[in-house]
Structures are given as structure tokens and as C-alpha cells.
Amino acid sequence: MRIIKPSDIPASEITPREIYLNRRQFMAGVAALAIAPAVSASSEPSHGQKFMDIKTGPYSTNDKQTPFDSVTTYNNFYEFGTGKDDPAKRAHTLKPRPWTVSVEGEVKRPKVFDIDDLIRFAPLEERIYRLRCVEGWSMVIPWVGFPLTELIKQVEPTGNAKFVEFVSLLDPKQMPYQRSSVLDWPYIEGLRIDEANNPLTLLAVGLYGEVLPNQNGAPIRLITPWKYGFKSAKSIVKIRFVEKPPITSWMRAAPNEYGFFSNVNPEVAHPRWSQSRERRIGEFFKRDTLMFNGYAEQVAKLYRGMDLQKYF
Ligand SMILES: Nc1nc2c(c(=O)[nH]1)N[C@H]1C(S)=C(S)[C@@H](COP(=O)(O)O)O[C@H]1N2
Ligand SMILES: [Mo]
């Protein structure tokens, strides 16, 4: 059981009334959180509520963490535009409460979870993972979440559940750039069932100890650190167990450029650029990209015997 720790400054003193009221509603539903005092009127990235009692999870990297300000202002979230600063500027229209996630398809116990039940679903862990975007930049982010496999266990997949599809929110009122056709909406991603069950795979609800900022995929998103960033779908409303590989949004957009697996692999170039090096955000010199983004020890076994040039 996590405990509410009163913050030093009442939220009512520092936030507009509307936000304060939303927070009160939020507090009513989530005993796990304390109000963070740091929403400022300036243009600095705002902070969210802090989680209490996060345990230290496994698999964290010792690489230097990318500053909070970069993690929350340099984003890909095409539902809000294609510019890196669009999500931070525009994602305030996303309403992460109330929110449900429907877990369905080839499972014995389908269930619609309220987000606040999901947050309490399993002990929350902090895991510091590398994230490598297909565009050639990377970050190191301390996520807060729990292993997807915990949720999978509870819904009991049938023998036909070979793949898992992740569906992001579809609502052009909240996500205005869904009125453009830059991608096929809603945003869809997929994993093979063994990838979904791998202990590295996380459902994240926060970062830097705080509730996920909207631009990072509030209120819940996938994290698959050995794959290119786009596999880690944001603002998920549906997790569907299926027999056939899902057709993901990026495969639909450009099947020759974005394969189903999209494992980080310095030896397989994107058709328009090399993937052998990357720029860590905040650093000047590029560094070598590692096989499976440095997570080979955990995931190489999933692909033994597969031709990774073909199954890219
Ligand atoms: N729904 C949705 N999820 C998404 C994206 C998106 O455009 N829409 N972009 C992806 C890409 S390309 C990357 S690199 C990561 C970026 O996550 P971050 O902004 O939290 O670093 O989110 C991924 N998840
Ligand atoms: Mo990306």
C-alpha cells in the first residue's frame, strides 16, 4: 500500500483553479500519489504528481540520464504534430482521466481496466532504460511502470494468442493532428507474444518519479527498449491478443522502411540512412549503436535462428 505524503505547498496556491480541481478528482481516485508543488506559470516544463513507494526495478542502465526538460520537450507524438516541440506545446488537450484500457481478444478473462486500477495493479518499479529512435537520436529515461507480463498473466491468453496489438486513443478533439493523414489513426503497434512477455517489456505510467506528462504518452504507454522508439505506443486504450501479426501504423505508412520487429540493429540500415550510430540527446559526438540497443543479453534469444536482415 502506498501512502499519500502531503506536499509542502498546497496545489491551490500555485495552479489555476481548473487544474487544481482536476487534481483533487485525481487524488480521490489514486491513493498512490502525492501532489507535486511545481507547476509554474513560466514556460519551463511543468511537473506532475509524484508517485510514492516506487521500488527499484531490474535492468537499469548506468548511462547518464537525459534531463527531464529534454525528455518532456523533445518528443515524437504525431497525434499532436510532427515537430519535436509540438507535443509539449499542444498535448494539454489530452485528458488522461477518466481513462480505461480494454484488454481483449484471444484471452479467457477479457477485462476493461480503469487506469487507476492499473496503476495499483502491480508494484510500481523504476527502470532506467535507453530509448533509441529510428531517426538516430537516443535518450536515457527513468520510467515508472510494471512488467506487461503481469497483466498478461491475469487475462489468461488462449493458445491462439500469438501476437499482441496496442491501440492508442482515437479522438481528434483531444488529438488535433489526427485530422491530418500523416499516419493511419488510431496509432497501432504490435509485439509477438513472447516479446510482450519478456521481462524487459514495461507498461509505463510515469517518468522521473512523476505521473507521465501528456506528451510522453499519458496515462499509460508501452516501453520496449530493445526496439526503435515507435514500437512503444503512447496513450493506450486497447490491448488486443490476436492470432495474426497486427498491421502497425508505420508498416501501413511505409512497409519497406518499417518492419514488424523493428529491433535496434546497427547492421540493418533504414533504406534512407544508416543505423550504425546515434546521437544521445545532450551530447555532441555520436556514439555507436549497440545490437538490440544494448539489451542482447535479455532478448537475443527471442530471435535465435531468424534472419534479421529479412525480419527487420
Ligand atoms: N501514439 C503514439 N505513440 C508513439 C508515437 C506516436 O507518434 N504516437 N511516436 C513513437 C516514437 S517514433 C517515439 S521515438 C517514441 C517517443 O517517446 P517519448 O516522446 O516519450 O520519448 O514514442 C513512440 N510512440
Ligand atoms: Mo521514433
Side-chain angles (χ1 to χ4, degrees):
M1 191 62 200
R2 293 174 210 106
I3 303 152
I4 297 173
K5 183 180 151 220
S7 65
D8 301 329
I9 307 166
S12 56
E13 277 177 33
I14 42 126
T15 53
R17 182 174 162 76
E18 193 189 351
I19 295 173
Y20 172 57
L21 289 176
N22 284 341
R23 286 184 171 195
R24 288 303 296 268
Q25 286 164 6
F26 187 52
M27 290 300 296
V30 188
L33 304 168
I35 296 171
V39 174
S40 71
S42 77
S43 60
E44 274 166 37
S46 60
H47 287 259
Q49 291 101 333
K50 282 230 172 267
F51 288 102
M52 303 302 295
D53 294 348
I54 304 165
K55 64 175 194 173
T56 300
Y59 311 118
S60 286
T61 172
N62 292 320
D63 290 8
K64 187 171 173 289
Q65 294 175 33
T66 307
F68 178 90
D69 291 10
S70 304
V71 171
T72 58
T73 57
Y74 191 88
N75 302 102
N76 274 338
F77 201 168
Y78 278 17
E79 286 88 336
F80 298 99
T82 54
K84 291 285 173 286
D85 54 349
D86 286 336
K89 282 194 289 201
R90 299 184 186 160
H92 57 88
T93 54
L94 174 67
K95 293 193 175 59
R97 291 291 186 294
W99 192 278
T100 57
V101 180
S102 174
V103 186
E104 57 184 60
E106 289 289 345
V107 292
K108 290 181 197 133
R109 304 177 49 168
K111 188 170 172 177
V112 178
F113 291 89
D114 187 85
I115 184 63
D116 293 322
D117 293 332
L118 272 182
I119 284 178
R120 292 195 217 89
F121 186 79
L124 292 182
E125 301 175 11
E126 176 168 86
R127 297 189 181 190
I128 305 156
Y129 281 172
R130 288 181 287 272
L131 179 141
R132 201 316 193 155
C133 180
V134 73
E135 295 164 340
W137 49 267
S138 63
M139 297 196 199
V140 178
I141 303 175
W143 300 106
V144 177
F146 61 90
L148 173 62
T149 191
E150 297 294 331
L151 181 63
I152 295 179
K153 258 185 243 160
Q154 171 152 340
V155 296
E156 296 178 35
T158 71
N160 294 331
K162 303 282 198 305
F163 295 88
V164 189
E165 180 181 69
F166 302 87
V167 183
S168 298
L169 178 69
L170 175 64
D171 182 355
K173 285 203 193 81
Q174 293 187 57
M175 297 176 149
Y177 215 68
Q178 287 181 332
R179 299 203 170 91
S180 87
S181 51
V182 60
L183 285 175
D184 228 31
W185 310 111
Y187 193 94
I188 288 176
E189 261 308 335
L191 296 175
R192 215 169 54 189
I193 188 84
D194 58 341
E195 298 177 319
N197 274 316
N198 186 272
L200 269 185
T201 304
L202 211 62
L203 279 174
V205 296
L207 56 79
Y208 271 103
E210 302 177 5
V211 168
L212 268 187
N214 285 0
Q215 59 267 37
N216 294 92
I220 190 163
R221 57 134 357 136
L222 184 69
I223 302 291
T224 49
W226 73 98
K227 293 175 177 283
Y228 291 118
F230 63 87
K231 298 297 287 183
S232 294
K234 295 176 167 181
S235 304
I236 292 170
V237 293
K238 196 186 292 182
I239 300 176
R240 206 158 69 93
F241 292 76
V242 292
E243 190 162 10
K244 302 262 157 56
I247 309 295
T248 71
S249 296
W250 284 104
M251 290 166 74
R252 238 180 247 282
N256 60 320
E257 300 194 8
Y258 308 105
F260 178 79
F261 289 97
S262 292
N263 294 318
V264 173
N265 187 340
E267 286 156 28
V268 177
H270 182 280
R272 290 183 280 135
W273 59 82
S274 163
Q275 293 289 25
S276 66
R277 293 171 71 70
E278 69 194 58
R279 193 173 69 83
R280 187 66 51 87
I281 295 298
E283 292 179 2
F284 183 74
F285 293 105
K286 288 191 175 181
R287 55 170 74 208
D288 289 341
T289 287
L290 303 174
M291 188 64 200
F292 297 117
N293 204 21
Y295 298 97
E297 203 184 312
Q298 285 78 34
V299 300
K301 57 178 181 270
L302 300 175
Y303 311 104
R304 205 154 283 153
M306 279 174 62
D307 178 352
L308 297 181
Q309 300 282 334
K310 185 172 172 208
Y311 297 101
F312 63 91

